Amino acid sequence: MFGLEALDLARMQFAFTISFHILFPAITIGLASYLAVLEGLWLKTHNDTYRDLYHFWSKIFAVNFGMGVVSGLVMAYQFGTNWSRFSDFAGSVTGPLLTYEVLTAFFLEAGFLGVMLFGWNKVGRKLHFFATVMVAIGTLISTFWILASNSWMQTPQGFEIVNGQVIPTDWLAVIFNPSFPYRLMHMATAAFVATAFFVGSSAAWHLLRGKDNPAIRTMLSMAMWMALIVAPIQAVIGDFHGLNTLKHQPAKIAAIEGHWENIGDEPTPLILFGWPDMKAEKTKFAVEIPYLGSLILTHSLDKQVPALKEFPPEDRPNSTIVFWSFRIMVGLGFLMIFTGLWSLWLRKSDKLYTSRPFLYLALWMGPSGLIAILAGWFTTEIGRQPWVVYGLMRTADASSNHSFLQMSITLILFVVVYFALFGAGLGYMMRLVRKGPKIDEGKETNDGGPGQKRTPARPLSAADDDGADSDHSLTKEI
């Protein structure tokens, strides 16, 4: 049907589930660190604005964290159900790395999450702050192990193949493979930037509707400082990541650039826009800037970038997709930098909270970080094709022996269930965002105890709308 095979549906299913999943960890990583900063600032300054923001965003964090855990479990099962040949081939590497994530990051998060969400008036200030910091560190450790596993699939090393299976010989080489440092920094920074624009967008939404208070202003101010500082840093990290990819995955770079062949000794131009045609082996309607491709990718004006025709057709990634996914990511990155610079200019003229054109831009930039992350992952994963483990195992050899009908049914079920379940979760989370932080929402209303709101029995009750679980006095000390 439509020229698709069971393998194509398996890839679509994994792409669909990981696209849903990656949104939640990205916000979880950023919000966890944001909450740690807010609580730290409150403890240092005793400014109740930081306290109110902490309790507002902790509710959204709780919902987001729950959806991230559920969506992540589904992906782990797919390695056994849809990609059993890959698991048999490389499971001795990917299995332990994912286990290390559970034993370190997940246990750390699970151990302190309850204290963070429900222990505000049960433990001392220092212990509660310590729990929040541990949860934030746990999210970063989780990122470490997930990126180590995925980066090894991009640039494998530290192994030998025995009887058709990968056997690790050097775990440090496996973990710290050539692409890992760049991809780890790139993803962690992307999570912080995405969260900054999510927070800034929610603040802009309230300001545009006339809800102007210190908490809302602080949200926008902190978000724009983060955008101003971190977005340019992300561009620099991306440049180093590109140089590393050129060294280890030149076919991916050629596909990203839509660059088909070199002419003599001429430097490589940068194709701004065009339509790479895989069958015609050319990029149609190309708008080029001479020399710029060589300058960006090799940092010289005379070196050439590898071209797609230098690789066999069966080893070429789909340039049509990665050419545009990369440009979506980069284009949004430039918009983020522009937004940060505009916010600085408005801050100096004391118009940051009143300029409606800027507030509308900040509002519409809310999902930009998440869209850029998705575009970046599409570029990375589709650009790795036709390999599931680069240079070692092709994607066509990694899938389970399922029929087209089986994959069709499961894909449809995934789409229906995900949109229903996570759509409802996202809707509820956005409803919390629209309510905004409540000033002095954390005054004591009861003495707690079994069955009271201060000792919730369900994880998502941390996101209770009326905020009655927020006793901000924290008079206890460790």
Side-chain angles (χ1 to χ4, degrees):
M1 182 180 296
F2 305 112
L4 298 176
E5 300 178 353
L7 172 64
D8 300 313
L9 295 182
R11 292 181 60 192
M12 291 171 62
Q13 185 179 120
F14 196 83
F16 177 78
T17 53
I18 196 173
S19 295
F20 254 93
H21 171 69
I22 194 63
L23 302 178
F24 303 122
I27 295 299
T28 296
I29 294 166
L31 277 186
S33 295
Y34 183 48
L35 290 171
V37 170
L38 288 173
E39 187 169 4
L41 288 172
W42 177 67
L43 291 173
K44 181 178 180 179
T45 66
H46 303 289
N47 185 337
D48 289 344
T49 297
Y50 297 121
R51 176 203 64 191
D52 296 332
L53 286 176
Y54 178 93
H55 285 276
F56 170 63
W57 286 106
S58 66
K59 301 172 186 177
I60 298 167
F61 173 85
V63 178
N64 191 81
F65 185 90
M67 290 191 293
V69 171
V70 173
S71 59
L73 290 174
V74 174
M75 289 177 52
Y77 280 107
Q78 287 188 18
F79 285 118
T81 57
N82 293 353
W83 303 98
S84 58
R85 293 172 181 169
F86 163 74
S87 298
D88 181 62
F89 175 74
S92 58
V93 169
T94 58
L97 291 178
L98 296 180
T99 301
Y100 298 154
E101 189 230 349
V102 174
L103 292 176
T104 56
F106 192 75
F107 280 12
L108 187 65
E109 292 170 325
F112 287 99
L113 184 65
V115 178
M116 172 185 165
L117 295 179
F118 308 131
W120 186 266
N121 51 15
K122 307 297 181 184
V123 301
R125 297 181 179 185
K126 294 179 181 178
L127 179 55
H128 190 276
F129 178 59
F130 179 76
T132 303
V133 172
M134 288 300 101
V135 171
I137 292 175
T139 63
L140 293 173
I141 294 176
S142 178
T143 307
F144 178 94
W145 291 115
I146 294 299
L147 266 295
S149 176
N150 186 267
S151 297
W152 181 86
M153 295 165 63
Q154 302 279 347
T155 52
Q157 68 173 20
F159 67 94
E160 62 182 20
I161 297 179
V162 179
N163 297 326
Q165 293 180 317
V166 172
I167 304 298
T169 58
D170 184 346
W171 275 107
L172 287 179
V174 168
I175 296 169
F176 297 98
N177 57 79
S179 65
F180 170 69
Y182 306 97
R183 301 185 72 243
L184 175 63
M185 290 188 294
H186 202 48
M187 180 60 205
T189 307
F192 291 138
V193 174
T195 304
F197 279 96
F198 179 45
V199 172
S201 177
S202 64
W205 190 88
H206 289 289
L207 288 170
L208 285 168
R209 282 150 183 78
K211 187 176 181 179
D212 189 346
N213 58 53
I216 299 297
R217 290 193 169 208
T218 301
M219 283 167 53
L220 182 63
S221 178
M222 294 180 73
M224 290 303 104
W225 277 124
M226 177 65 77
L228 177 66
I229 297 171
V230 180
I233 293 176
Q234 178 72 316
V236 175
I237 296 172
D239 179 63
F240 282 108
H241 184 18
L243 295 176
N244 177 266
T245 304
L246 177 62
K247 179 179 179 180
H248 296 281
Q249 295 176 302
K252 179 188 290 188
I253 290 296
I256 288 173
E257 297 302 314
H259 179 52
W260 288 93
E261 58 184 330
N262 288 308
I263 302 175
D265 296 327
E266 293 182 11
T268 305
L270 176 69
I271 301 177
L272 285 178
F273 305 105
W275 189 260
D277 190 324
M278 297 300 293
K279 292 184 178 179
E281 296 186 337
K282 63 179 296 186
T283 297
K284 299 178 178 178
F285 319 113
V287 178
E288 300 180 350
I289 300 179
Y291 297 95
L292 193 56
S294 293
L295 181 62
I296 293 176
L297 291 166
T298 68
H299 291 184
S300 72
L301 290 173
D302 55 359
K303 294 181 181 179
Q304 294 181 328
V305 176
L308 277 170
K309 288 186 178 181
E310 297 176 15
F311 305 93
E314 63 272 15
D315 291 344
R316 299 172 187 169
N318 190 317
S319 180
T320 309
I321 298 177
V322 298
F323 179 90
W324 281 105
S325 61
F326 179 79
R327 277 150 183 77
I328 290 172
M329 178 186 69
V330 172
L332 289 172
F334 279 118
L335 274 176
M336 293 174 190
I337 294 173
F338 170 75
T339 304
L341 291 173
W342 192 4
S343 72
L344 179 64
W345 183 76
L346 290 174
R347 196 186 297 271
K348 290 182 176 181
S349 58
D350 200 25
K351 296 180 181 179
L352 179 64
Y353 310 108
T354 57
S355 172
R356 294 186 71 83
F358 172 78
L359 292 177
Y360 273 111
L361 174 63
L363 174 65
W364 287 106
M365 287 293 289
S368 63
L370 297 175
I371 295 172
I373 287 174
L374 286 177
W377 274 100
F378 287 164
T379 302
T380 296
E381 299 305 307
I382 297 175
R384 183 183 60 196
Q385 299 303 316
W387 305 99
V388 65
V389 182
Y390 196 79
L392 297 179
M393 187 183 202
R394 292 182 179 270
T395 305
D397 300 324
S399 63
S400 303
N401 188 25
H402 293 317
S403 68
F404 181 86
L405 178 61
Q406 290 172 321
M407 294 308 306
S408 298
I409 294 174
T410 55
L411 177 59
I412 293 172
L413 288 175
F414 268 109
V415 171
V416 172
V417 172
Y418 266 55
F419 273 108
L421 179 62
F422 295 114
L426 286 171
Y428 178 62
M429 189 167 69
M430 295 310 298
R431 184 160 66 91
L432 292 175
V433 172
R434 288 195 297 270
K435 293 178 74 71
K438 298 178 182 178
I439 307 302
D440 294 327
E441 64 171 307
K443 292 181 179 179
E444 290 190 35
T445 58
N446 59 63
D447 294 328
Q452 299 298 320
K453 290 182 178 180
R454 294 171 72 184
T455 56
R458 301 174 308 278
L460 290 187
S461 58
D464 184 70
D465 287 353
D466 61 11
D469 186 48
S470 304
D471 173 14
H472 303 296
S473 60
L474 278 183
T475 56
K476 300 179 182 178
E477 294 289 345
I478 296 178

